[in-house]
Amino acid sequence: MTNKTQSHNARWKQKKWKMLLAASILTAGTAPALFTPTVAEAATIIKPTAYINNMPAEYDVVIRQGVTYIALTELQFLGDYTFGYDNKSKQISIKTGSDQYVLTPNSKTMKKNGQNATLSSAPILVKGKAMLPLRAIGETFGAQVRWNQAAKEAYIYTTNASVVKDYNGSDLTAAREAALRLPRLSSFGQPRLQVKNPLGPVDSSTVYIFEQGQKDRFFLIEDNDLVSYYTITNGNAMLKWQANLGKQAGTLGDLFFIKAKSVSEAGTRPSVAGKTLVSFKYSLMLEETTYEISNKAGSIASGSAAPAKGKIMVEVPEEK
């Protein structure tokens, strides 16, 4: 090979490397908007998860031949269920109220109170653990089931009529309490963020923030680490934005109640410009909720009160 040819090849390799580097930078800048779920999954393996009545599943979610399964024991978050698996008869038993269900792994035939019924998908066993298909849970137990393909997140929930009634009522305190108990869904094109630095078993680690006089949107701050923002739509709390907070002091847009810079964000950051907010923090130790009304200029009023048993929200006299 001549020196001229070697020089040409070297220049071509250098040019090709620069083209690849430029392409990678361009792709990195536009990926979130352009990636389809299929491409994103190829680039990053997302572990499927499930939330049952807002509680994260205790066990792994399994996907087999396009069917999503959760562990039988996750039904505990749907209501008053007792369940079991008889290894000898190879049958799954589920009981709630006066209803008794008997299912068999790998069979779509189910018995409800002794009568045969057909499931759209059969339950399976995974490492000896009984797993139920999401769709069958919705069909059999009256739960709502949604699947976020991009985030690989399943949402299984039941509608509580009294919660819906409270939310639609005129009592602001009861409506806010109901807002916190509505099903929480996500339309993110990625899995939701999680608390990176949990505080452990400490008192008063969650703060709830509403706009003054409002009930239809709220912030949650968990462990001074994770901030989540929800808006109420069609009876559900839809996750719109999240941020993990770092240890560096700073600001985050016009969210004046946040005093630290973020290390990661997802969704569209909301604005509270010109708004007055009301924050609530419940103490299990004191059995009371402290509240504070504030705006960009600082605190306007604060106080504390004992909420009703099992509740978090309290009436704020200064809002009237």
Side-chain angles (χ1 to χ4, degrees):
M1 183 180 293
T2 65
N3 290 336
K4 183 177 181 180
T5 301
Q6 289 176 330
S7 176
H8 174 77
N9 287 343
R11 288 196 302 271
W12 166 243
K13 289 180 179 178
Q14 187 178 32
K15 181 179 180 180
K16 184 178 179 182
W17 168 247
K18 289 180 179 179
M19 290 168 63
L20 289 173
L21 180 60
S24 67
I25 293 173
L26 177 63
T27 303
T30 58
L34 300 180
F35 270 10
T36 63
T38 303
V39 175
E41 289 160 16
T44 304
I45 297 176
I46 300 175
K47 184 178 179 181
T49 57
Y51 296 86
I52 307 94
N53 276 346
N54 298 336
M55 297 295 294
E58 291 187 338
Y59 301 98
D60 287 345
V61 175
V62 173
I63 299 178
R64 295 282 174 83
Q65 297 180 332
V67 179
T68 305
Y69 300 84
I70 65 170
L72 167 66
T73 52
E74 308 291 8
L75 286 180
Q76 64 182 306
F77 300 123
L78 275 183
D80 186 17
Y81 290 89
T82 57
F83 32 75
Y85 176 68
D86 188 324
N87 193 50
K88 185 176 181 180
S89 65
K90 305 299 182 186
Q91 290 185 326
I92 299 166
S93 62
I94 304 172
K95 185 176 182 180
T96 176
S98 60
D99 292 326
Q100 177 79 38
Y101 303 84
V102 178
L103 299 83
T104 304
N106 304 314
S107 172
K108 293 183 180 181
T109 300
M110 173 192 73
K111 286 186 180 294
K112 178 182 179 181
N113 300 327
Q115 301 296 313
N116 284 343
T118 302
L119 300 170
S120 57
S121 301
I124 61 174
L125 292 180
V126 177
K127 297 180 181 179
K129 183 177 293 296
M131 309 289 290
L132 302 181
L134 287 184
R135 187 174 175 184
I137 292 175
E139 295 169 341
T140 306
F141 305 111
Q144 298 291 316
V145 177
R146 293 196 186 186
W147 173 249
N148 181 333
Q149 172 64 19
K152 287 289 190 294
E153 290 183 351
Y155 315 105
I156 308 105
Y157 55 94
T158 51
T159 301
N160 187 313
S162 63
V163 170
V164 174
K165 182 179 179 181
D166 284 345
Y167 179 76
N168 291 324
S170 58
D171 186 326
L172 181 59
T173 302
R176 283 172 170 170
E177 187 73 39
L180 300 181
R181 300 177 188 280
L182 291 172
R184 296 177 191 172
L185 314 179
S186 170
S187 59
F188 284 179
Q190 65 174 68
R192 66 184 66 188
L193 302 180
Q194 303 294 331
V195 174
K196 290 181 177 294
N197 300 294
L199 295 177
V202 299
D203 194 30
S204 305
S205 60
T206 303
V207 179
Y208 308 86
I209 303 174
F210 289 84
E211 290 182 18
Q212 186 176 39
Q214 302 300 315
K215 63 179 181 180
D216 61 350
R217 60 192 75 95
F218 60 89
F219 293 88
L220 263 65
I221 305 179
E222 301 172 71
D223 291 357
N224 298 320
D225 178 296
L226 178 65
V227 185
S228 303
Y229 177 69
Y230 292 87
T231 62
I232 309 300
T233 305
N234 299 323
N236 297 316
M238 188 64 70
L239 182 62
K240 295 294 187 178
W241 172 78
Q242 286 187 305
N244 283 117
L245 304 179
K247 297 187 181 300
Q248 184 179 0
T251 58
L252 202 55
D254 59 28
L255 304 180
F256 58 83
F257 56 91
I258 297 177
K259 308 299 182 183
K261 291 185 178 297
S262 66
V263 294
S264 58
E265 291 187 55
T268 302
R269 185 192 298 169
S271 170
V272 296
K275 303 289 185 181
T276 297
L277 305 179
V278 187
S279 63
F280 300 87
K281 192 174 185 180
Y282 176 71
S283 170
L284 180 62
M285 184 183 301
L286 299 176
E287 296 185 338
E288 69 176 21
T289 296
T290 58
Y291 65 83
E292 181 178 26
I293 302 176
S294 61
N295 57 24
K296 187 176 181 180
S299 179
I300 297 172
S302 62
S304 64
K309 186 176 181 180
K311 308 293 185 180
I312 296 170
M313 295 292 105
V314 295
E315 183 179 294
V316 179
E318 291 84 353
E319 276 192 286
K320 292 186 175 182

